[in-house]
Amino acid sequence: EAQVTQNPRYLITVTGKKLTVTCSQNMNHEYMSWYRQDPGLGLRQIYYSMNVEVTDKGDVPEGYKVSRKEKRNFPLILESPSPNQTSLYFCASSSPSLNQPQHFGDGTRLSIL
Amino acid sequence: GIQVEQSPPDLILQEGANSTLRCNFSDSVNNLQWFHQNPWGQLINLFYIPSGTKQNGRLSATTVATERYSLLYISSSQTTDSGVYFCAVERNQGGKLIFGQGTELSVKP
């Protein structure tokens, strides 16, 4: 089954404690992205990757890091989380071929206390 | 950048009613998708529809790319249709989707 898998689904942690949210896709997609969703602000792109070892900033990259060492994986790293990073996070993947929708993971709810 | 506007922002329906949700976008796009966000927060992909018309059960969607809008039709609504419906577009930016603010639908029994 084609899917994008995020882990964990839920996490409550404290300010400053480094965390990683993993994302894996099994569709051999070149493109992967991270979004965050906040009330009143909608979904905004954090980082994206167009292929292995190619990453770039989205609209709200501050406080986040990403890496793309393998095509299937695109982890989101919060080196020193702060309360303003409390949010619902989504990973997505797609192929640059025409007529291909983007596939989203189930989301990760992060609470930074 | 591209602006995506959805209307109405909120909608309350009685079970069994029909509805039309609208998405306007400000520039040409190569991808348009409709999503339903369920109460658990999951984004369910409803349609990939950069142009034309598609139907899936009680749902259908039409995108008129030349006029820069898309419509999502929900017929014979059910309580399980409740949630937020998002329209999102992409314009050749490495997979970056621009989301509208969503339409929050509540279907009452």
Side-chain angles (χ1 to χ4, degrees):
Chain A
E1 179 189 352
Q3 58 185 7
V4 178
T5 304
Q6 296 179 225
N7 280 296
R9 291 291 314 281
Y10 306 91
L11 179 63
I12 301 174
T13 187
V14 296
T15 298
K17 186 176 181 181
K18 181 180 178 180
L19 67 91
T20 299
V21 184
T22 63
C23 175
S24 181
Q25 50 94 4
N26 63 0
M27 295 164 280
N28 202 37
H29 283 165
E30 290 83 359
Y31 292 171
M32 296 187 76
S33 294
W34 278 102
Y35 297 84
R36 62 178 287 174
Q37 184 179 19
D38 302 290
L41 297 174
L43 285 101
R44 297 173 291 168
Q45 192 187 53
I46 302 170
Y47 268 95
Y48 66 97
S49 169
M50 297 175 72
N51 216 322
V52 175
E53 301 293 359
V54 180
T55 63
D56 211 342
K57 297 177 181 178
D59 297 320
V60 287
E62 295 78 19
Y64 304 94
K65 286 175 58 176
V66 292
S67 68
R68 188 92 182 272
K69 294 185 172 59
E70 305 164 285
K71 198 172 188 179
R72 62 183 290 121
N73 296 323
F74 191 45
L76 180 70
I77 303 156
L78 285 71
E79 293 270 5
S80 183
S82 62
N84 65 11
Q85 293 177 298
T86 293
S87 188
L88 177 58
Y89 291 85
F90 290 98
C91 180
S93 74
S94 64
S95 168
S97 303
L98 292 177
N99 303 318
Q100 294 290 323
Q102 289 212 20
H103 297 259
F104 278 74
D106 286 342
T108 295
R109 288 191 183 275
L110 283 184
S111 291
I112 316 293
L113 305 178
Chain B
I2 297 177
Q3 304 298 313
V4 181
E5 295 182 358
Q6 292 185 240
S7 60
D10 305 281
L11 186 58
I12 300 175
L13 297 176
Q14 206 65 34
E15 198 168 28
N18 303 327
S19 63
T20 301
L21 281 56
R22 187 176 179 103
C23 172
N24 292 333
F25 44 98
S26 61
D27 206 341
S28 59
V29 298
N30 65 324
N31 176 14
L32 187 145
Q33 292 180 243
W34 282 98
F35 296 90
H36 175 215
Q37 188 165 36
N38 64 23
W40 295 271
Q42 295 169 312
L43 282 172
I44 310 300
N45 185 36
L46 298 176
F47 292 103
Y48 170 82
I49 187 164
S51 64
T53 297
K54 291 185 178 180
Q55 180 151 10
N56 184 4
R58 296 181 296 103
L59 303 181
S60 64
T62 295
T63 297
V64 184
T66 53
E67 297 188 22
R68 298 179 186 166
Y69 72 88
S70 184
L71 302 173
L72 178 69
Y73 306 97
I74 304 174
S75 65
S76 304
S77 58
Q78 301 176 357
T79 56
T80 52
D81 294 332
S82 297
V84 183
Y85 289 81
F86 289 102
C87 166
V89 303
E90 180 186 350
R91 181 176 163 79
N92 296 324
Q93 285 190 297
K96 177 179 179 178
L97 278 177
I98 309 295
F99 283 79
Q101 290 298 307
T103 292
E104 185 161 8
L105 174 65
S106 179
V107 181
K108 305 295 187 185

